[in-house]
């Protein structure tokens, strides 16, 4: 079967081959599109699940952390020395009614002071042994049946804090007050503590929305804690709570929702996030359908164009081949004239376009020959100007030699050393910066620069070289180390009055790829991490006017490749180290 298909393909004309090929390519592309679309859709689903779950966990963690802090408030009120003393005084038989009234007034004042300093507290209530309700904060009281229920809950907890949600969705912390001395809890009951919290403030501060259409629901299993007026009916919320899955798709009220559920291990509360499916996927579904329609249209148009293309390709191209063979034997002047023949001015087909392009190629070759000739003239003129430009530097060298001779005659040793070092530096920097020299030659430039700076800074400059002899023949771009040494003196030595230690260290690189690690290190003020990040990103314009780090790194990359370059390490007020990574290539001074 496969053999027959191959035979038919060989015998088929260009038209049928092109048509079959284009059709197969379009079908394969369409199949890959569907696979990619399904993968992206599934990936988007998983990301939505993960995002809503993260938001839900973050909200639950924030709320419960705050509630744990409020448990601490409950304990502080419980163990307050003034409240303990006043409540204990109410139980004494010798206390008069007036004295009890005074003690209750003290308790209410204390509760008011505590409630006023707490952002999330609505009111603090204490029910004393005689069932008097003492309130601090908002004066709203409690219904008799709620009061009885809370006292029963507190009594069952035996001094532990209990969270309670009322029928009006109010949030309470309840605990029985016992006499407290140090860390011991005798069995003497002093009353009941009830703290009502501003639940809406806690939720506003710690509930993170998963979007404008998301619904966050918090329940303790029997009552809805948040929100006060849920948009989803409570009976349908109860159905979602008994599901075994922690997230997935569900239908509520005829609408699809993404649900994500998290259960608290501390309070036993359940956090449920419901996000409408249609609002989440309306745009992506529209885009998916639109792209599918467009792709089908492209498939049909592509097949139609393939038919037309196949028909146009069947035109003979032997004429172009014959012309190219003739051109191979002729001279360039006649080639251009021959290429003009039989080429329509308005080429439409690929073959005709190829003929026209061939003609343009011949013309371009002629232009390149002319341009190359002109460039050679410019290069020779530039070389002449470069030779003429060396007259002024030689005049400067002769002047420096005269100054040096005069300094020696007058026994000015330091002036003589500085002039000799300056002359060497000028000769070294005469090239355009693209040459390779040995590490030994580069260190000679460094020595000349250090000679000048040591005379300037005297004992304030402590310069050391740690360069093994076997690396002295390594090739390095010229004027690489001197600018880094100049930066170290400018930024580390000049701003300080004490001695600055500067070292140049050469060793094998421990990083991937090997090579040499040449480090210029100083104990100057260093750089802050933020400044160092900006500098590495090239977003800092330094104050210097010489050869900068970017210039050095660019020359290294152009010379050795993009994997080599500069790395900066710095610790504020400790050190700065510039690492130069280059391959270990041995040789002599050369130009590249």
């Amino acid at each position: 079967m496969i053999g027959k298909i191959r035979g038919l393909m060989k015998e088929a004309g260009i038209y049928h081959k092109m048509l079959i090929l284009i059709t197969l390519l379009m079908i394969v592309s369409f199949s890959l599109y569907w696979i990619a679309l399904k993968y992206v859709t599934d990936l988007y689903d998983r990301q939505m699940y993960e995002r809503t779950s993260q938001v839900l966990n973050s909200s639950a963690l924030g709320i419960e952390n705050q509630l744990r802090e409020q448990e601490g408030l409950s304990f502080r009120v419980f163990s307050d020395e003034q409240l303990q003393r006043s409540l204990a005084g109410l139980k004494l038989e010798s206390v008069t009614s007036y004295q009890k009234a005074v003690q209750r007034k003290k308790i209410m004042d204390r509760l008011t002071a505590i409630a006023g300093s707490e952002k999330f507290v609505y009111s603090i209530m204490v029910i004393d042994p005689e069932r008097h309700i003492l309130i601090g904060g908002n004066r709203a009281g409690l219904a008799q049946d709620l009061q009885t229920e809370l006292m029963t809950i507190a009594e069952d907890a035996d001094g532990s804090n209990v969270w309670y949600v009322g029928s009006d969705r109010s949030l309470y912390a309840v605990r029985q007050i016992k006499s407290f001395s140090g860390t011991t809890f005798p069995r003497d009951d002093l009353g009941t503590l009830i703290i009502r919290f501003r639940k809406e403030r806690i939720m506003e501060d710690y509930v993170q929305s998963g979007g404008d259409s998301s619904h966050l629901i918090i329940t303790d299993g029997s009552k809805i804690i948040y929100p006060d007026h849920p948009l989803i009916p409570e009976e349908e919320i109860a159905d979602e709570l008994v599901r075994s899955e922690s997230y997935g798709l569900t239908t509520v009220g005829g609408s699809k929702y993404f649900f994500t559920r998290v259960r608290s291990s501390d309070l036993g509360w359940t956090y449920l996030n419901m996000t409408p499916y249609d609002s989440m996927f309306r745009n992506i579904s529209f885009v998916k359908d639109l792209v599918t329609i467009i792709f089908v249209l492209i498939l049909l148009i592509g097949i139609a164009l393939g038919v037309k293309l196949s028909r146009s390709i069947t035109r003979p191209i032997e004429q172009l081949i014959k012309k190219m063979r003739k051109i191979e034997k002729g001279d360039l002047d006649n080639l251009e004239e021959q290429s003009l023949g039989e080429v329509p001015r308005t080429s439409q087909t690929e073959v005709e376009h190829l003929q026209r392009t061939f003609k343009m190629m011949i013309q371009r070759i002629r232009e390149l020959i002319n341009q190359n000739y002109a460039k050679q003239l410019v290069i020779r003129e530039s070389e002449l100007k470069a030779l003429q430009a060396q007259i002024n530097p030689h005049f400067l060298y002769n002047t420096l030699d005269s100054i040096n001779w005069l300094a020696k005659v007058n026994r000015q040793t330091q002036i003589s050393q500085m002039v000799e070092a300056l002359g060497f530096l000028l000769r070294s920097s005469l090239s355009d910066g693209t040459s390779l020299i040995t590490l030994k030659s580069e260190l000679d430039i460094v020595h000349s620069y250090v000679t000048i700076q040591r005379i300037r800074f005297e004992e304030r400059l402590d310069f050391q070289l740690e360069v093994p002899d076997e690396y002295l023949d390594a090739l390095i771009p010229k004027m690489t180390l001197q600018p880094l040494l100049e930066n170290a003196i400018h930024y580390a030595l000049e701003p300080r009055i004490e001695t600055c230690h500067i070292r140049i260290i050469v060793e094998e690189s421990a990083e991937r790829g090997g090579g040499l690690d040449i480090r210029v290190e100083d104990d100057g003020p260093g750089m802050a991490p933020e400044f160092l990040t900006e500098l590495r990103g090239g977003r800092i314009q330094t104050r210097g006017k010489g050869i900068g780090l970017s210039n050095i790194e660019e020359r290294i990359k152009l010379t050795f490749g993009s994997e080599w370059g500069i790395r900066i390490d710095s610790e504020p007020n400790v050190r700065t180290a510039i690492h130069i990574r280059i391959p270990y290539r041995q040789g002599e001074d050369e130009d590249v």
Side-chain angles (χ1 to χ4, degrees):
M1 184 65 179
I2 297 177
K4 290 183 178 181
I5 294 176
R6 289 180 177 176
L8 291 174
M9 289 294 296
K10 290 181 178 179
E11 295 176 0
I14 296 177
Y15 169 76
H16 295 94
K17 289 181 180 179
M18 291 293 298
L19 185 61
I20 294 173
L21 178 61
I22 292 175
T23 303
L24 289 176
L25 288 176
M26 296 301 293
I27 292 174
V28 171
S29 300
F30 192 73
S31 302
L32 293 176
Y33 156 75
W34 269 109
I35 295 173
L37 185 63
K38 187 176 185 308
Y39 172 78
V40 170
T41 303
D42 294 342
L43 181 62
Y44 183 78
D45 290 348
R46 288 196 298 271
Q47 290 178 344
M48 287 302 302
Y49 287 137
E50 292 173 0
R51 186 174 71 87
T52 54
S53 179
Q54 290 173 357
V55 170
L56 201 60
N57 278 293
S58 178
S59 299
L61 182 62
I63 291 171
E64 301 212 355
N65 284 340
Q66 182 58 43
L67 293 181
R68 280 193 287 271
E69 291 185 15
Q70 299 309 315
E71 283 191 22
L73 170 65
S74 172
F75 181 79
R76 291 198 304 272
V77 177
F78 170 94
S79 59
D80 187 82
E81 183 179 352
Q82 180 179 340
L83 291 178
Q84 287 275 328
R85 187 168 54 252
S86 298
L87 289 172
L90 292 175
K91 297 192 67 174
L92 298 176
E93 296 180 357
S94 60
V95 177
T96 64
S97 298
Y98 173 77
Q99 292 174 329
K100 288 183 178 181
V102 172
Q103 293 297 336
R104 289 190 178 105
K105 179 65 169 57
K106 290 181 179 180
I107 293 173
M108 292 178 66
D109 290 343
R110 182 58 180 160
L111 294 178
T112 300
I114 297 175
S117 63
E118 296 294 331
K119 173 182 177 182
F120 300 114
V121 172
Y122 181 81
S123 64
I124 303 178
M125 292 169 276
V126 171
I127 303 175
D128 67 12
E130 297 181 0
R131 298 295 182 94
H132 287 86
I133 300 179
L134 310 176
I135 304 178
N138 193 287
R139 296 294 180 176
L142 295 175
Q144 184 61 42
D145 55 345
L146 178 59
Q147 175 183 335
T148 302
E149 184 178 0
L150 293 178
M151 292 181 66
T152 302
I153 292 173
E155 184 177 352
D156 293 340
D158 195 27
S160 298
N161 185 82
V162 178
W163 291 100
Y164 178 81
V165 180
S167 58
D168 60 349
R169 307 194 200 283
S170 298
L171 182 62
Y172 299 91
V174 184
R175 72 191 312 162
Q176 195 174 30
I177 302 177
K178 295 180 177 294
S179 59
F180 175 72
S181 176
T183 58
T184 62
F185 292 88
R187 302 301 300 174
D188 192 9
D189 296 333
L190 301 180
T192 303
L193 172 64
I194 302 171
I195 303 178
R196 181 179 176 182
F197 292 95
R198 299 183 185 274
K199 180 186 64 178
E200 65 281 358
R201 289 190 179 180
I202 298 176
M203 300 307 172
E204 288 173 0
D205 284 3
Y206 293 99
V207 170
Q208 299 185 23
S209 174
D212 295 337
S213 58
S214 297
H215 307 306
L216 175 62
I217 301 165
I218 305 175
T219 175
D220 62 357
S222 60
K223 301 186 190 71
I224 300 297
I225 300 173
Y226 176 84
D228 291 340
H229 305 287
L231 299 178
I232 300 175
E234 292 193 29
E235 59 273 11
E236 297 193 4
I237 294 175
D239 294 338
E240 298 303 321
L241 296 177
V242 298
R243 288 179 178 271
S244 59
E245 303 91 351
S246 59
Y247 62 88
L249 278 175
T250 185
T251 302
V252 177
S255 300
K256 282 188 177 182
Y257 287 85
F258 269 125
F259 75 89
T260 307
R261 188 176 66 251
V262 174
R263 181 176 175 81
S264 164
S265 58
D266 292 341
L267 301 178
W269 291 359
T270 299
Y271 298 79
L272 180 65
N273 186 81
M274 306 285 288
T275 304
Y277 180 87
D278 292 337
S279 65
M280 292 175 58
F281 286 90
R282 183 182 297 111
N283 292 334
I284 193 171
S285 298
F286 172 75
V287 172
K288 181 174 66 176
D289 295 340
L290 179 62
V291 172
T292 301
I293 294 172
I294 293 175
F295 204 96
V296 171
L297 292 176
I298 292 175
L299 174 63
L300 298 177
I301 294 173
I303 294 175
L305 292 176
V307 172
K308 186 176 180 179
L309 176 64
S310 300
R311 288 175 178 173
S312 64
I313 292 178
T314 57
R315 296 181 182 181
I317 60 175
E318 289 80 1
Q319 183 179 1
L320 179 60
I321 297 175
K322 180 188 288 187
K323 186 184 300 183
M324 294 175 67
R325 289 175 178 173
K326 289 182 179 179
I327 290 174
E328 184 179 1
K329 299 178 181 179
D331 63 316
L332 188 60
D333 294 331
N334 294 328
L335 294 182
E336 188 173 351
E337 295 179 2
Q338 294 178 11
S339 65
L340 294 175
E342 301 180 3
V343 179
R345 293 184 178 180
T346 56
S347 301
Q348 299 295 331
T349 65
E350 284 77 0
V351 174
E352 292 169 346
H353 181 69
L354 181 60
Q355 291 175 341
R356 186 177 63 180
T357 304
F358 181 73
K359 169 207 166 185
M360 295 173 62
M361 181 189 68
I362 298 299
Q363 293 175 339
R364 184 59 178 163
I365 290 174
R366 168 60 65 188
E367 292 175 0
L368 291 175
I369 291 175
N370 294 335
Q371 290 177 6
N372 185 57
Y373 180 73
K375 287 181 180 178
Q376 292 298 325
L377 293 178
V378 172
I379 291 173
R380 292 196 175 187
E381 184 178 355
S382 299
E383 291 175 348
L384 179 60
K385 290 182 178 180
L387 292 174
Q388 292 173 347
Q390 292 182 2
I391 296 175
N392 290 335
H394 285 301
F395 174 75
L396 179 59
Y397 300 151
N398 293 334
T399 304
L400 291 176
D401 287 338
S402 298
I403 296 173
N404 184 27
W405 174 81
L406 186 60
K408 288 182 177 180
V409 169
N410 289 276
R411 299 182 180 180
Q412 296 293 329
T413 307
Q414 290 185 334
I415 295 177
S416 175
Q417 292 175 350
M418 292 183 71
V419 169
E420 288 180 349
L422 179 59
F424 183 79
L425 284 175
L426 289 175
R427 288 184 176 89
S428 300
S429 61
L430 182 62
S431 68
D432 59 0
T434 60
S435 59
L436 282 176
I437 62 174
T438 62
L439 182 59
K440 181 179 182 303
S441 299
E442 181 71 8
L443 292 178
D444 289 339
I445 299 174
V446 169
H447 279 301
S448 298
Y449 180 74
V450 170
T451 298
I452 297 173
Q453 298 302 331
R454 274 181 170 157
I455 295 173
R456 176 185 174 191
F457 294 103
E458 298 179 345
E459 70 278 358
R460 288 173 55 198
L461 173 61
D462 179 16
F463 175 75
Q464 295 181 6
L465 279 174
E466 299 181 17
V467 183
D469 292 341
E470 61 264 26
Y471 298 140
L472 291 177
D473 60 348
L475 293 177
I476 183 173
K478 195 173 184 180
M479 296 299 291
T480 296
L481 298 181
Q482 185 273 333
L484 299 180
L485 185 61
E486 183 177 351
N487 283 343
I489 290 176
H490 179 64
Y491 292 104
L493 175 57
E494 290 183 356
R496 57 196 286 181
I497 59 175
E498 61 270 14
T499 301
C500 178
H501 303 278
I502 301 176
R503 296 192 302 165
I504 295 180
I505 304 171
V506 180
E507 56 191 6
E508 289 189 16
S509 176
E511 297 183 19
R512 184 177 179 181
L516 293 182
D517 180 70
I518 305 175
R519 185 167 74 251
V520 180
E521 185 176 273
D522 64 72
D523 59 352
M527 291 175 273
E530 298 79 8
F531 180 87
L532 189 58
T533 301
E534 295 290 324
L535 182 62
R536 287 169 176 164
R539 297 183 290 273
I540 294 295
Q541 182 65 39
T542 58
R543 300 190 302 270
K545 297 182 180 178
I547 300 175
L549 294 177
S550 59
N551 178 286
I552 297 173
E553 183 167 28
E554 183 178 357
R555 288 192 289 124
I556 292 175
K557 291 183 180 298
L558 288 174
T559 303
F560 299 118
S562 58
E563 67 271 21
W564 309 98
I566 289 178
R567 177 170 58 85
I568 306 174
D569 293 330
S570 184
E571 300 178 44
N573 301 317
V574 178
R575 61 185 283 274
T576 297
I578 309 296
H579 295 261
I580 301 172
R581 287 192 65 247
I582 59 173
Y584 182 26
R585 295 182 183 175
Q586 298 172 293
E588 299 178 353
D589 296 355
E590 59 175 321
D591 292 334
V592 294

